[in-house]
Amino acid sequence: WNDPQRGIRGELKGHTLVTHMEEEFREQGLALSFAWEPSPTNRGPFLALGHTMGVTTAGSMDALLNPTVLEGVDDASSGGQQFEAQLAYGFSAFSDRLTLTPGVAVALSPTGSTYGLVWSLAPYAPQPGETAPWELSLEGEQQDTGSSASHPEHSLSLRFSLLF
């Protein structure tokens, strides 16, 4: 479902894979997602929510069913359950030439959680669907496996992307 005038998009995707009839081996998966981006530019609010259930693999169709915000949370022991959320807001910066976008992200599963903060800087893209030619982002992430024996892992990354 897509309503471009309101900036709302929702999807429901599912799959069943039967690979061996004698042993009745089956894999099933379901993915729900919702996104809200009322402004077609890179300014203003952005919200994305997703929930995946069941088994997913790295295959072509299954990769489409896993709208992961943050990686590394889900494993086979969680039954494929994962909830993802991302919230960001693009602000005018440097005399309205650039867009500064702070954001937060969270991914939760029965076996752990991941939390992230992102600050990105890109040229202002005033046209709908226009992609900024470059982007600079600083991303911090904390990943907790939920085990009392392990400590949370922290990471900090600086990324620069350039379209050509």
Side-chain angles (χ1 to χ4, degrees), residues 17-114:
L17 175 64
V18 179
T19 58
H20 200 279
M21 295 300 287
E22 291 177 14
E23 297 177 20
E24 294 186 25
F25 178 74
R26 294 175 190 238
E27 291 183 351
Q28 297 178 334
L30 180 67
L32 305 163
S33 66
F34 173 80
W36 177 61
E37 190 173 14
S39 175
T41 68
N42 62 351
R43 299 230 172 118
F46 171 77
L47 172 68
L49 303 171
H51 186 77
T52 57
M53 297 166 278
V55 177
T56 58
T57 61
S60 59
M61 186 177 116
D62 295 331
L64 296 174
L65 296 173
N66 191 6
T68 305
V69 173
L70 300 171
E71 296 179 11
V73 175
D74 194 29
D75 65 18
S77 65
S78 72
Q81 295 267 351
Q82 183 170 326
F83 172 77
E84 308 93 14
Q86 182 179 16
L87 177 64
Y89 197 97
F91 295 97
S92 171
F94 300 103
S95 301
D96 205 34
R97 291 185 310 236
L98 301 176
T99 299
L100 178 65
T101 307
V104 295
V106 63
L108 306 171
S109 79
T111 59
S113 57
T114 302

